[in-house]
Amino acid sequence: MVTSHHEAAHRIFQDRPELLAPVFRILGVPLPAKAVVEVLTADVTEIRPLERRVDSVLRIEPSDGEGGFLLAIEAQGRRDPDKAASWAYYLSYLTAKYERPALLLVICQDRATAGWAAGPFCLGLDGWTALELHPLVLGPGNVPVITDPEEAARDLPLAAFSAMTHGRDRNAPAILKALARALGTLEADSVTYYSELLEIGLGHTPARDTWRNLMNVGTYFPGRGTLVEETYLKGKAEGMAEGKAEGKAIGRAEGLAEGRVAERAQLVLLTLENRRIPTLAETRERVTSCTDPETLGRWLERALSVTDAEDLFREDS
């Protein structure tokens, strides 16, 4: 079953292709200088009614047009004996369709799955290997642990990816704290993007609770907090102006709630924009005027996979 946590692990490469440079250095794969990264359709379905879909597919072309290749990206949460055949099919299909060499990158969040995903996977009869598959693998064993705020600020996509990959690690709180401090230098849209990306990408782990606390308290955003913090401060100020303790409490609570709703609505639209999905004015108005956090949460999950902006609302209606 595809979950929003699963989607976040690979879609960050679509939204932030600059992450490929440090990732390829980790993997020891040469990346062409000044390469152009293009997001391709992830559908590898044949005419027959059998759907096959890669998580993400990128085409990487150097500026001189020589030596381009495809990168199929899969997020894998556990061992799956059926994956070897599927992965071999993806690579063969993409190579034939685009007439380019293809590589497979598997992203794992635990060491056992990462060790299994590295293969090699041998396909064929016993005693005769017809095809051997060697995936590239990213996991806790080779993704760097970034706990220095200055280092995180220099490469925010890698710092965010480090946080998601090590979300179950004992270093997770330190990684998240460094990332939160680094976000204090960004504009509101980028803060919103990374805030919600980690909210989704950390899944149901203690690290997600740590991240929520960091985002809500606002300690790491001196002078220019997130939308949550800014709205909270506005509500708090209004409550203090009334000169009553009750007003302060109401202002603070309403500010926090309104800030969370505003953040989530902006991320729905930002996700569609990053995926190059056109949105009508009516669609944007419906998203930004919604005040129900649960509804916005559903729309955010759908925004990661829909091909038409109107599909956000289909199940609700």
Side-chain angles (χ1 to χ4, degrees):
M1 177 181 178
V2 178
T3 63
S4 54
H5 163 59
H6 173 278
E7 291 289 288
H10 66 89
R11 284 196 183 274
I12 187 175
F13 290 92
Q14 297 183 21
D15 298 339
R16 296 290 188 272
E18 61 268 27
L19 178 58
L20 288 175
V23 159
F24 272 45
R25 285 197 297 271
I26 292 170
L27 296 171
V29 178
L31 182 67
K34 298 181 180 179
V36 177
V37 181
E38 178 186 358
V39 179
L40 302 178
T41 174
D43 193 349
V44 290
T45 305
E46 295 184 75
I47 297 176
R48 295 174 299 162
L50 176 63
E51 183 179 5
R52 299 179 185 271
R53 190 172 296 274
V54 193
D55 287 339
S56 290
V57 181
L58 305 178
R59 176 161 49 200
I60 301 168
E61 296 285 352
S63 56
D64 59 9
E66 297 293 330
F69 62 97
L70 305 176
L71 183 66
I73 304 174
E74 286 273 286
Q76 192 67 26
R78 58 180 176 80
R79 291 173 177 252
D80 185 346
D82 296 328
K83 278 295 183 179
S86 297
W87 289 343
Y89 172 86
Y90 296 161
L91 292 178
S92 299
Y93 179 92
L94 292 170
T95 300
K97 178 179 180 179
Y98 294 100
E99 299 181 343
R100 290 282 191 281
L103 297 174
L104 172 66
L105 172 61
V106 184
I107 301 166
C108 308
Q109 289 191 309
D110 67 88
R111 294 177 185 273
T113 303
W116 162 81
F121 299 97
C122 299
L123 303 178
L125 294 174
D126 290 341
W128 186 269
T129 299
L131 183 65
E132 191 169 271
L133 182 67
H134 295 261
L136 300 167
V137 178
L138 284 174
N142 58 359
V143 173
V145 172
I146 299 177
T147 57
D148 179 11
E150 292 186 3
E151 183 181 356
R154 286 194 297 270
D155 198 337
L156 277 166
L158 182 60
F161 190 69
S162 173
M164 289 192 295
T165 306
H166 294 279
R168 295 180 176 86
D169 191 271
R170 60 183 177 85
N171 293 308
I175 298 172
L176 295 173
K177 187 178 294 187
L179 179 59
R181 286 188 180 276
L183 290 181
T185 64
L186 297 184
E187 70 280 3
D189 284 349
S190 293
V191 172
T192 299
Y193 172 81
Y194 284 109
S195 175
E196 291 289 352
L197 177 70
L198 269 293
E199 171 83 15
I200 295 170
L202 291 171
H204 298 289
T205 63
R208 184 168 70 174
D209 295 331
T210 301
W211 183 247
R212 286 175 174 175
N213 290 334
L214 290 171
M215 291 296 98
N216 286 334
V217 171
T219 303
Y220 302 99
F221 297 87
R224 54 177 309 178
T226 64
L227 288 175
V228 171
E229 183 191 8
E230 290 167 359
T231 312
Y232 154 66
L233 291 174
K234 178 182 176 183
K236 182 178 180 182
E238 291 173 352
M240 291 177 67
E242 295 176 6
K244 297 180 181 179
E246 181 180 358
K248 293 180 184 179
I250 292 174
R252 182 179 186 278
E254 290 180 351
L256 285 170
E258 290 171 8
R260 175 61 69 181
V261 167
E263 260 195 346
R264 190 150 292 189
Q266 284 201 15
L267 190 72
V268 171
L269 298 176
L270 185 62
T271 301
L272 294 174
E273 180 182 339
N274 285 334
R275 297 185 59 222
R276 298 184 177 90
I277 295 178
T279 55
L280 300 175
E282 294 84 352
T283 301
R284 301 182 72 86
E285 172 64 24
R286 182 169 178 180
V287 171
T288 55
S289 62
C290 178
T291 58
D292 179 28
E294 292 187 3
T295 299
L296 287 169
R298 290 198 302 273
W299 293 350
L300 178 57
E301 290 197 16
R302 293 173 195 164
L304 292 165
S305 57
V306 297
T307 55
D308 187 305
E310 289 304 305
D311 289 341
L312 289 177
F313 319 121
R314 185 156 296 169
E315 293 182 21
D316 293 314
S317 59

